Amino acid sequence: DSFLNRIGQALADRADSEHGEDWMYFSAAQRLNAVDPSYHRDAESKVRLARLNLTAAELSRYLLAFTSAVEFVENGLKNLPNDMWKRHYATTLGLHSIGAEAYMGVGKFSQAESLCKEVIREKKTIHDA
């Protein structure tokens, strides 16, 4: 797990650099999602992983890879704190929006509806819904 974590972190750092490529986001997220959760103990690390999963989910959706997008969304959401809507609004909104679309893409309509209802309940502006 330690090696996998180091590789994932290095890929995430590289993906965020000017020389980053899309495949690096996928690879980094997959590796970091696979390591023991104890490697992501602090809140900052968990939020960074949630944002990485959001980026990977966005890219997956763009490629119409909805099954992968669902996995990235689920991993992203589980790394956000309970007060995610207050502290990490943009990331939370992004994960819910892409998640709803991805769930629709794989035929999981009740999960999509659940995410949509949560966005409607938590939205800050009419444009967020």
Side-chain angles (χ1 to χ4, degrees):
D1 268 1
S2 175
F3 180 71
L4 200 57
N5 186 57
R6 287 197 315 265
I7 294 293
Q9 292 293 345
L11 280 167
D13 291 341
R14 180 72 175 183
D16 284 338
S17 76
E18 64 184 81
H19 303 290
E21 297 181 29
D22 290 351
W23 69 267
M24 294 175 183
Y25 288 105
F26 295 119
S27 190
Q30 288 170 337
R31 279 157 182 71
L32 293 172
N33 290 336
V35 300
D36 188 280
S38 65
Y39 281 96
H40 311 293
R41 280 181 239 168
D42 63 288
E44 185 179 323
S45 174
K46 287 183 174 191
V47 170
R48 183 173 187 231
L49 182 54
R51 288 184 180 133
L52 177 64
N53 275 287
L54 172 58
T55 302
E58 289 171 335
L59 293 168
S60 295
R61 179 194 58 182
Y62 176 74
L63 297 171
L64 303 178
F66 294 120
T67 301
S68 294
V70 164
E71 290 176 25
F72 290 126
V73 165
E74 289 174 349
N75 278 298
L77 288 172
K78 76 179 182 184
N79 280 289
L80 288 174
N82 291 335
D83 62 349
M84 64 180 123
W85 284 103
K86 289 182 179 72
R87 296 180 57 212
H88 307 287
Y89 185 81
T91 302
T92 304
L93 178 63
L95 286 166
H96 279 73
S97 299
I98 291 169
E101 188 175 339
Y103 277 128
M104 293 288 286
V106 297
K108 294 185 175 182
F109 303 111
S110 63
Q111 290 93 329
E113 181 181 16
S114 176
L115 290 178
C116 289
K117 285 180 178 179
E118 191 171 346
V119 168
I120 291 168
R121 187 175 60 247
E122 300 290 341
K123 71 183 179 338
K124 288 184 178 179
T125 71
I126 191 70
H127 301 291
D128 291 343

